[in-house]
Amino acid sequence: MDSREPAVVTFSPSAELPPLSEQELAVLSQVGQDWSAGLPDWRRAEALPLDPALNQYPTPAPGRFSRIAPVGQFRTETPDRLVADQPEAPVSPEGGTLTRLRRVILGPPLNSAAVVQERIRKLIALPVLSSDLLSSVAYGPEAMLTVLVLAGASALRLTLPISLALVVLMVAVGLSYRQTIRAYPHGAGSYIVAGANLGSRLGLTAGAGLMMDYILTAAVSVASGVDAINSALPRLAPAAVPIGLAVLVMLLAGNLRGVRSAGKLFAAPTYAFVAAVFLLICFGLAQAARRGFTTLPPPRVPATEGLGVLLVLRAFASGATSMTGIEAVSNAVPVFKPVEWRNARTTLTWMVSLLILMFAGLIALIHLDGVAIKPNQTVLSQLAHLAFGEGPLYIFVQATTALILLLAANTAYQDFPRLLFFMARDGYAPRAFLRLGDRLVFSNGIILLTVAAAAILIAFHGRTQALIPLFAVGVFLAFTLSQVGMIRHWLREKGPHWRKNIVINGTGALLSGVVLVTAAFTKFVEGAWVVLAAVPIVILTALRIRRHYDAVQAALSPEPGEQGGEPRQEDGERPGQVLHMAVVPVARLDRAALRALAYAVSLGQPVFAVHVSPDDEEDDRFRHQWTYWGAHLRLEIIVSPHRAIIPTLSHYLQALHALRPDITLTVVLPEVVVKQWWHRPLHHHDARRLRRAVRPLPGIVVTSVPVHVRG
Amino acid sequence: MDSREPAVVTFSPSAELPPLSEQELAVLSQVGQDWSAGLPDWRRAEALPLDPALNQYPTPAPGRFSRIAPVGQFRTETPDRLVADQPEAPVSPEGGTLTRLRRVILGPPLNSAAVVQERIRKLIALPVLSSDLLSSVAYGPEAMLTVLVLAGASALRLTLPISLALVVLMVAVGLSYRQTIRAYPHGAGSYIVAGANLGSRLGLTAGAGLMMDYILTAAVSVASGVDAINSALPRLAPAAVPIGLAVLVMLLAGNLRGVRSAGKLFAAPTYAFVAAVFLLICFGLAQAARRGFTTLPPPRVPATEGLGVLLVLRAFASGATSMTGIEAVSNAVPVFKPVEWRNARTTLTWMVSLLILMFAGLIALIHLDGVAIKPNQTVLSQLAHLAFGEGPLYIFVQATTALILLLAANTAYQDFPRLLFFMARDGYAPRAFLRLGDRLVFSNGIILLTVAAAAILIAFHGRTQALIPLFAVGVFLAFTLSQVGMIRHWLREKGPHWRKNIVINGTGALLSGVVLVTAAFTKFVEGAWVVLAAVPIVILTALRIRRHYDAVQAALSPEPGEQGGEPRQEDGERPGQVLHMAVVPVARLDRAALRALAYAVSLGQPVFAVHVSPDDEEDDRFRHQWTYWGAHLRLEIIVSPHRAIIPTLSHYLQALHALRPDITLTVVLPEVVVKQWWHRPLHHHDARRLRRAVRPLPGIVVTSVPVHVRG
């Protein structure tokens, strides 16, 4: 984000361990020199009682207490390098059921080496990347009509001019993105382009807009796909929300499993949908031709609003949702076969041409057939009914529509986690989004998207037209910022034809900006405010997250020796600096306590025991037992007449630390571990509670010495 | 439970540390002798770098990183004995708000020394202990009428003979309990008496019956008290359940705060209720006398059931709920002034006499006035209306009724936790019920009772008459077992008059048994099955709990040296036996990791580091950094191509343990602790997850080395 040119798009499984800078390495080396002095001799491997490479010993037979030992799972490649083969044996018996369930749903974990990007041909890339864009014609024209019809059926005559304006917009944005792809061949997402050219804040703004866009794409596509099904099967209409949620869960499972860009699988429905729409357009136009292209009058609809400029603008902004998804190619430039940018550009041109043809054809049909809005029937379904009646061709149109909308939702499942990965890499999103899951997908982003889309689907009762007002703002925010970023780019780079490029991107930016402002203003009350409120919240959160990460990194970066300045708290990063004292809290003198005491003593550092008594009677009783045992260690009894054990111990440790902050106090906790979870309520959890209580305290190390009991 | 005579009733705060037997002490001493050999010299207190008694140092000023040090809170009494003065300063800033809220509701914690029992006079004991018993007349007669009226108004003529039988029952059970008090002056609860004489299983049966009884007492008394309010204010009727729950929450808070047997507070309402009932009886009888004791006919009620023996028995069993609470005195013998048993007996006699008078008087009035059941009006309210109209005397009757029912519910709050304490002391209930809370009450028992009573109140919609069928079974189960236990007691002891005593207790047992069987059979379908099913479940659970505790105790009791036999797992109870090796999992070379490494090295035991890489790239990258640092320790890199970190580490540790089970592996975990809880989602929690994963593994000690960062 800080460099002008974006980095190469890599989804590395090791993104969590970034390389260190020269300076950081130098510090590390200096810290290491401080260690050299005073390190004991046994640090050489030979002195270890057990070879960490596991390779000197025969695999042991399963013992009485241990399950089958997982030694065989590790392959020794070199003495200091092991490879774990089957990491998914359950860690604990209880975890077993969950692990097995996960395996059934997700399949076996994939090897990191499989992350290599597949390159795809244009013919496959087209359907894979265009499902989001092309599917938009299933709801875009309808969204426009829904607004126009508010001013009565007569207002529908404005369909044609508005559509013309939209086609101009599509061409302009398409051309604009062609430029972007050329300039950013490693991936030209709006977040990256805006961030690289306009600074991190505007990059985050574009990112926030895109996040909204992806969430809404998932929600709107699913809702619209369910509409397509319900238009054909009206009896399912009341169950729209549950059906939508079920689809989201399927998408979740499929994407967690890793429905990779499996070309052929995706190609068929997209081509089928394109075929269905063109078939519909041809049939419709043929019918219209038979009657001499006379325009049928739309049904009478009473006007509920006056026909003003505002309404026209609203219709325009709603219709603009037909071009959501146009940015898909620019995100995916690196997956094309070489020359990547050239193939990507060609694909984009095809896509936009297809979009314009389909959009214009459908608008023409709508106009000729005099179609208006029906409550339980999508516009596409009405057109298909008019053209094909009830027959198999009608079913074909509805089925391919539902299918491509599903695929479009799936695009969001590809893009949203990728965007969060980029943001997390820059420190603007939780680091958890960097982690590649079992199946080499960003599971956390996938889960977050599902939760967000499900929440929106439920909140808006699964009604597509209620979601549309939220939709345009985020998309066009990202479009606009990306194009403005490109203007800046050309101004800086001044490559060949830079003036022409600026004009193209400038037109794109201007038109996108008009849609953005129109959508934001005219649909504010209807729902755009949700997005307009969410974007700054996302940006602020992202900036706070970055600030936190920066602070943590500063606090955790190693520093060379104490060259003046106030020493940092919990310094002891060099062995010589650590001064030990161990405290063993003992409640009763059972095996658990004796084991903890023995452990503490055997470390060879100073140790004492502490016991908290609620009254004098227990004090005497415990002392008596301690004496019988031989009183081998210093015992301190704290009488806590108010019976609080954990707070008393915690305060006592705080007091010890306050008196000698230079000593590292190790609390050695005896911990009884029962085998069955249902036995846990039968035991106090003082060890766990104490661990939690001292967690925020400085200079206190907690050691749990477990004793496992069955019964 | 195992000894024939029950132990003295003591609620010691130190019940969790019972004294050891001679044999156990001998074992402990032997174990201690094993320790003597090979213990280092520094175990003497002088060698500790910091005096655990805290008394050598000036109190430090609050530092930059520490809050005010709580050194001043500890008072050094002797060098090895501290007293904690104000243990309730919040442990952590987040805990502060909760702690303060708790203090506001519960008041400051009480000193253990305050647990000394107060002794009470008979005149105070009577109201304190009788609220449960006497309040029963508020619902008992009504419960009987509710059943009888099912056979039509004419069946109400059977009220008198059934009531006569009930009075005989009251006398018999009262006499029987007089005997019990004499024989068990240290506390004669049914659980203890039945357990001591009939064995632990029948003791548990009585205990389970009593548990049901106490829960139902709380629920029924609250429901009935709400009925009394709603009879006077019918508009509140729909809110019966919320009002009842609010009352339970008040009882919860009051009892957690420790509404101790504050004599005077309890005396007034009970005496007022007794006065109100007698006033009502006198007024009613005077009215009846004026009309020459002619019986008014009850309102016509259509019969819904035939009048058979079964119905009469059901009415009898329902009416028997009038005597619930009769056992209260026997539980509380030790709180009387000496001679305890004599005073307790006298009080019991008074109580039963009062009960019989009030019961008989009310039945007479019901009969004379021809009162039957009304849906929104209790019988007592009807009688009061007839006697006093709407005036202040009516209000007085209703108010005192509601109040005494509240007190009766409060008795359950005294007895239920005490019963659980006894059961926990014997190992039949979770040990958590042994713990005295801040306010010297058994908080856990109080909370459990509230939850159970609230659940019942909600499940039965707060209707008193729906709860009555559940009620009788538990009480009379406990009564019967207690009396049978007494027969056994006399047969064994054969003190003076033992034959006469057997006759008295035998009569009590027989009559109680008849009610028990009647209630169980006639009310099985109506709800008694709930109790009949719950009692065996409670017994089985109690036995399982005891078995678990026995097994754990056996597993945890120390054993002297290895004189043959298979050595137990995780033996190492003597310092010489512990062979150490430390493993430091390092994700990146930051301060947290360096501190953990330094800590591990400074312990002076063999250490190596382990890093899990998702791919070769990270392997190389980490090794590079490690070399820069100086590679001071043996590093083992595990490549986990499936990216699982925690399972891989856990399996690796298992493998190490399997190869050398004699080595105690210490996992030294670097742990970054952030200050604010809302920063936690920004960090991975591998340390916590690893700790949880290795918890069930044998021979692995986990040490958390925290580094606190702000930001």
Side-chain angles (χ1 to χ4, degrees), chain B residues 47-274:
Chain B
L48 291 173
L50 169 60
D51 179 18
L54 305 174
N55 55 1
Q56 296 173 332
Y57 305 85
T59 302
R64 200 179 129 211
F65 292 103
S66 57
R67 277 160 285 144
I68 295 164
V71 179
Q73 160 181 330
F74 296 94
R75 201 152 30 81
T76 313
E77 289 205 334
T78 62
D80 56 358
R81 185 181 147 100
L82 293 174
V83 175
D85 269 337
Q86 312 147 355
E88 286 298 318
V91 177
S92 67
E94 296 115 77
T97 320
L98 268 180
T99 306
R100 268 191 296 276
L101 187 70
R102 199 164 77 167
R103 283 296 139 260
V104 168
I105 296 174
L106 302 187
L110 295 175
N111 197 301
S112 296
V115 85
V116 180
Q117 297 268 359
E118 353 167 13
R119 300 297 181 118
I120 48 177
R121 289 184 300 140
K122 277 178 286 181
L123 262 177
I124 297 296
L126 179 65
V128 168
L129 297 172
S130 69
S131 64
D132 185 8
L133 177 64
L134 298 185
S135 70
S136 304
V137 299
Y139 47 80
E142 177 154 7
M144 180 169 65
L145 292 189
T146 307
V147 175
L148 276 182
V149 93
L150 291 175
S154 63
L156 291 177
R157 70 194 140 80
L158 287 175
T159 310
L160 288 188
I162 296 177
S163 300
L164 197 66
L166 283 172
V167 169
V168 171
L169 181 69
M170 289 169 189
V171 173
V173 173
L175 285 174
S176 199
Y177 264 108
R178 277 174 57 93
Q179 306 272 37
T180 314
I181 288 168
R182 176 78 182 86
Y184 287 88
H186 296 305
S190 303
Y191 168 69
I192 290 175
V193 173
N197 292 300
L198 307 174
S200 58
R201 278 167 198 249
L202 286 173
L204 281 179
T205 311
L210 279 180
M211 275 171 71
M212 299 298 120
D213 176 28
Y214 294 140
I215 294 170
L216 286 165
T217 297
V220 169
S221 300
V222 167
S224 186
V226 174
D227 279 352
I229 298 172
N230 292 351
S231 296
L233 301 165
R235 267 178 309 170
L236 290 180
V241 173
I243 295 178
L245 292 179
V247 171
L248 280 176
V249 168
M250 274 167 46
L251 284 167
L252 171 71
N255 279 284
L256 284 182
R257 204 183 161 98
V259 184
R260 337 222 79 240
S261 36
K264 275 153 207 160
L265 203 91
F266 279 61
T270 309
Y271 282 131
F273 175 71
V274 172

Side-chain angles (χ1 to χ4, degrees), chain B residues 348-407:
Chain B
L348 177 65
T349 311
W350 287 357
M351 271 166 62
V352 176
S353 311
L354 275 176
L355 171 72
I356 292 175
L357 279 178
M358 287 161 72
F359 178 77
L362 288 176
I363 290 292
L365 276 197
I366 288 167
H367 181 70
L368 288 169
D369 289 348
V371 166
I373 300 300
K374 280 191 188 173
N376 283 321
Q377 177 97 288
T378 62
V379 167
L380 207 58
S381 168
Q382 290 184 55
L383 291 176
H385 266 314
L386 287 175
F388 307 126
E390 302 280 340
L393 280 176
Y394 169 76
I395 301 294
F396 179 63
V397 170
Q398 290 306 105
T400 54
T401 307
L403 216 55
I404 199 177
L405 283 163
L406 212 85
L407 289 188

Side-chain angles (χ1 to χ4, degrees), chain A residues 16-17 32 52 81 112 437 548-549 556 573 588 591 599 619 621 632 641 643 652 666 682 695 708 711, chain B residues 16-17 32 52 81 112 437 548-549 556 573 588 591 599 619 621 632 641 643 652 666 671 682 695 708 711:
Chain A
E16 280 179 277
L17 184 79
R81 184 181 147 101
S112 296
H548 174 73
Y549 279 140
L556 286 183
E573 278 134 45
R588 44 172 74 196
R591 278 184 67 223
Y599 177 89
D619 179 351
R621 205 182 288 162
H632 295 294
R643 293 167 309 289
Y652 181 63
T666 300
L682 299 181
R695 224 177 120 81
H708 296 84
Chain B
E16 282 180 273
L17 184 79
R81 185 181 147 100
S112 296
H548 174 72
Y549 278 141
L556 287 183
E573 278 135 45
R588 44 171 75 195
R591 278 185 67 223
Y599 177 89
D619 179 348
R621 202 182 291 161
H632 295 294
R643 296 166 306 288
Y652 181 63
T666 300
E671 198 163 359
L682 299 181
R695 223 177 120 81
H708 298 84

Side-chain angles (χ1 to χ4, degrees), chain A residues 11-326:
Chain A
F11 305 115
S12 158
S14 54
E16 280 179 277
L17 184 79
L20 295 182
S21 68
E22 280 304 313
Q23 199 192 340
E24 286 167 318
L25 285 172
V27 170
L28 204 54
S29 151
Q30 220 173 323
V31 169
Q33 277 158 30
D34 296 348
W35 271 61
S36 305
L39 257 189
D41 289 338
W42 46 257
R43 70 190 163 87
R44 277 162 300 120
E46 302 86 72
L48 291 173
L50 168 61
D51 179 19
L54 306 173
N55 57 359
Q56 295 173 332
Y57 305 87
T59 302
R64 200 180 128 213
F65 292 104
S66 57
R67 277 160 287 143
I68 296 167
V71 178
Q73 160 181 330
F74 296 94
R75 202 154 28 81
T76 312
E77 290 205 336
T78 62
D80 55 358
R81 184 181 147 101
L82 292 175
V83 174
D85 268 336
Q86 312 147 355
E88 285 299 318
V91 177
S92 66
E94 295 115 77
T97 320
L98 268 179
T99 305
R100 267 191 297 275
L101 188 69
R102 201 163 76 166
R103 284 296 139 259
V104 169
I105 296 175
L106 303 187
L110 295 176
N111 196 300
S112 296
V115 86
V116 181
Q117 296 268 358
E118 353 166 16
R119 300 296 180 118
I120 50 178
R121 288 184 300 141
K122 279 178 284 181
L123 263 177
I124 297 296
L126 179 66
V128 169
L129 297 171
S130 68
S131 63
D132 186 7
L133 177 64
L134 299 185
S135 69
S136 304
V137 300
Y139 48 80
E142 175 153 7
M144 182 171 62
L145 293 189
T146 308
V147 175
L148 277 182
V149 94
L150 292 174
S154 62
L156 291 178
R157 70 193 140 79
L158 287 176
T159 309
L160 288 187
I162 295 177
S163 299
L164 198 65
L166 285 172
V167 170
V168 172
L169 182 67
M170 286 169 192
V171 173
V173 173
L175 285 175
S176 198
Y177 264 107
R178 275 173 58 92
Q179 306 272 37
T180 314
I181 288 170
R182 176 79 182 88
Y184 287 87
H186 296 304
S190 305
Y191 167 69
I192 290 175
V193 173
N197 292 300
L198 306 175
S200 58
R201 279 168 198 248
L202 285 173
L204 282 178
T205 312
L210 280 180
M211 276 173 69
M212 299 298 121
D213 176 29
Y214 294 139
I215 294 169
L216 285 165
T217 296
V220 169
S221 300
V222 166
S224 186
V226 173
D227 278 351
I229 298 172
N230 292 350
S231 296
L233 301 166
R235 266 178 309 172
L236 290 179
V241 173
I243 294 177
L245 292 180
V247 170
L248 280 177
V249 169
M250 273 167 46
L251 284 168
L252 170 71
N255 279 285
L256 284 182
R257 204 186 160 96
V259 183
R260 335 221 80 241
S261 36
K264 276 154 206 162
L265 203 91
F266 279 62
T270 308
Y271 283 130
F273 175 71
V274 172
V277 170
F278 278 119
L279 213 62
L280 173 62
I281 293 171
C282 294
F283 259 69
L285 289 180
Q287 280 180 343
R290 250 175 276 141
R291 64 168 190 263
F293 288 110
T294 51
T295 307
L296 300 181
R300 296 178 140 266
V301 188
T304 54
E305 289 187 32
L307 181 63
V309 179
L310 218 63
L311 193 81
V312 174
L313 286 175
R314 255 167 77 197
F316 175 70
S318 288
T321 56
S322 304
M323 50 187 299
T324 54
I326 204 167

